[in-house]
Amino acid sequence: MTDGEPPRRLLRRSMSRTAAPPLLNGDPEGFEGVRLSLGEAQEALVRAADRIAAPRSIFAREPLNILALSGGAAGGAFGAGVLAGLTKAGKRPNFAIVTGVSTGALMAPLAFLGPAWDDRLADAYTGGHAARLLALRRFVPGAGPGLIRGEALDALIGAFIDDELIAGVAAAHAQGRRLFVATTDLDRQRAAIWDMGAIASRALTGDGERALHLFREVLAASASLPGLFPPRLIPCVSEEGVYDEMHVDGGVAAPLFVLPDALLRWKQVGRRLRGGRVYLIVNTILEPGSRITSGNVPAILIRSFDTMLRFSYRQALSLTATFCAGAGLPLEIASITPAPHHGSMMNFDTKSMKRMFDAAFEEAAAGKAWTRYA
């Protein structure tokens, strides 16, 4: 190593990228308008709500049911069990709008497509794929900007997000339903909301391969917790040229994405939303738990991840409850009940995840999944 040359270990831990100027705003090439700011997402959701909840006749109107899926890593097995249990009980709502963050983003497309996709959803969380691909024992120190290689997350997503799913999402989008996923734009320190139905719809124009790639990449970005997974670089184009946007876990900026404040100011909100409900599936334990944290880097990162989730989601739930009260929307919440066998949400052991799935399934099938907030 010569004078002034950075250590090779540091080079291996950096990412090569084409940086964006601070105020540059572009779009992924060929996918204009699919990545939204919070303000743009607010407008898109208002339009979707208006179309879906508008009365089809003086007597008939489809209720505007909204499902928001939170992060929680392995805790996603809980959300998958809830949805499958609701199907079993015959009490699963038809969700007009589905949003997802982190592991909630990974399950959001399957939840969006409905009960016919429950088997795929269950396999994603109980089939042993996460244990094989995402175990921390597989990480290589100094090999990149994350403890777990990004290729492992790609392999997990690629097994379940395919052309058939893309076609289904595009068809639902054409009917007026909406699927949104949040990532965090790390350069601009703000949430980015991705219209996944709009991305999937580009496959119908003959660009299926690129649509599938971007769809998967956005899901991976939303689930890439900094420090555990490397950030995702999404190439974008503007008048100034091509640049990379760096995106990480959506939960960093938006722990839950439900409905915009704009709906509260909508003069017809009460009439349009009457009969609808907001459903939150929180894929983690909300109550703090005490235990000794080991002094190694993975243990500290995992414990910090758990702590961040619990604090951020409790705050997000409080804000959501306030919103729903103001809009006159009933709020239903499902979250993991603390139990002695529950470990870290970063424990991808298949037996633990299946146990969590089965418990959630049984509760939902018995009509005990939800806690209601008026």
Side-chain angles (χ1 to χ4, degrees):
M1 185 175 68
T2 61
D3 291 343
E5 179 184 350
R8 293 181 180 178
R9 184 165 179 252
L10 292 180
L11 285 174
R12 291 198 302 270
R13 296 181 68 85
S14 66
M15 298 183 70
S16 175
R17 60 175 300 198
T18 304
L23 299 179
L24 187 63
N25 285 294
D27 292 285
E29 186 176 8
F31 293 88
E32 293 76 14
V34 302
R35 193 251 288 104
L36 310 172
S37 67
L38 281 173
E40 291 167 338
Q42 289 176 4
E43 296 175 4
L45 281 176
V46 168
R47 291 193 298 269
D50 193 19
R51 177 176 177 180
I52 295 165
R56 291 166 295 185
S57 72
I58 193 171
F59 302 107
R61 179 184 61 199
E62 183 177 352
L64 185 73
N65 291 316
I66 302 134
L67 172 65
L69 299 161
S70 87
F78 167 81
V82 169
L83 291 169
L86 291 172
T87 299
K88 177 69 174 179
K91 296 181 178 179
R92 182 160 166 179
N94 181 31
F95 297 113
I97 297 171
V98 175
T99 73
V101 177
S102 198
T103 195
L106 300 185
M107 71 172 64
L110 298 166
F112 182 68
L113 292 177
W117 294 75
D118 280 357
D119 287 346
R120 189 180 294 201
L121 179 61
D123 185 37
Y125 283 94
T126 65
H129 310 280
R132 177 173 55 86
L133 293 167
L134 305 182
L136 279 173
R137 66 177 179 273
R138 299 173 63 90
F139 86 86
V140 181
L147 292 181
I148 303 175
R149 293 181 181 275
E151 292 84 355
L153 188 56
D154 290 336
L156 181 65
I157 292 170
F160 299 97
I161 305 299
D162 56 16
D163 291 328
E164 182 185 8
L165 181 141
I166 292 291
V169 171
H173 183 82
Q175 296 168 1
R177 298 172 60 220
R178 291 295 179 264
L179 171 62
F180 292 96
V181 162
T183 64
T184 298
D185 183 337
L186 204 57
D187 297 313
R188 299 180 181 89
Q189 293 187 318
R190 68 186 186 190
I193 310 300
W194 298 81
D195 187 337
M196 305 303 284
I199 295 175
S201 297
R202 304 298 167 92
L204 304 179
T205 65
D207 204 3
E209 184 175 343
R210 292 180 68 242
L212 178 60
H213 174 76
L214 181 59
F215 198 101
R216 289 172 171 172
E217 193 71 2
V218 170
L219 295 183
S222 185
S224 292
L225 185 73
L228 291 174
F229 296 99
R232 295 290 166 146
L233 298 177
I234 299 180
C236 293
V237 178
S238 73
E239 293 181 357
E240 288 85 352
V242 179
Y243 67 94
D244 290 332
E245 287 185 354
M246 182 177 285
H247 288 259
V248 297
D249 194 301
V252 173
L256 285 168
F257 182 64
V258 184
L259 275 176
D261 291 341
L263 281 181
L264 288 176
R265 301 189 298 271
W266 192 16
K267 64 180 180 181
Q268 293 183 323
V269 67
R271 178 170 66 85
R272 290 296 195 219
L273 299 184
R274 191 176 300 119
R277 293 179 183 274
V278 173
Y279 297 84
L280 304 185
I281 296 181
V282 183
N283 295 299
T284 191
I285 300 169
L286 294 174
E287 296 302 318
S290 298
R291 77 162 192 260
I292 301 299
T293 304
S294 299
N296 58 73
V297 172
I300 293 170
L301 281 174
I302 290 170
R303 188 62 170 166
S304 299
F305 170 73
D306 281 346
T307 303
M308 179 196 73
L309 276 181
R310 297 186 192 197
F311 276 94
S312 62
Y313 286 126
R314 289 179 69 175
Q315 182 180 32
L317 284 173
S318 177
L319 293 174
T320 302
T322 299
F323 164 79
C324 289
L329 278 169
L331 174 61
E332 314 260 13
I333 298 176
S335 63
I336 302 175
T337 302
H341 61 269
H342 287 151
S344 165
M345 293 299 102
M346 287 303 298
N347 176 17
F348 294 104
D349 174 69
T350 302
K351 289 183 179 179
S352 298
M353 293 177 70
K354 189 174 189 313
R355 187 163 52 237
M356 189 180 300
F357 176 95
D358 290 343
F361 179 93
E362 295 300 329
E363 281 209 350
K368 301 177 181 178
W370 304 112
T371 298
R372 181 172 301 177
Y373 291 79

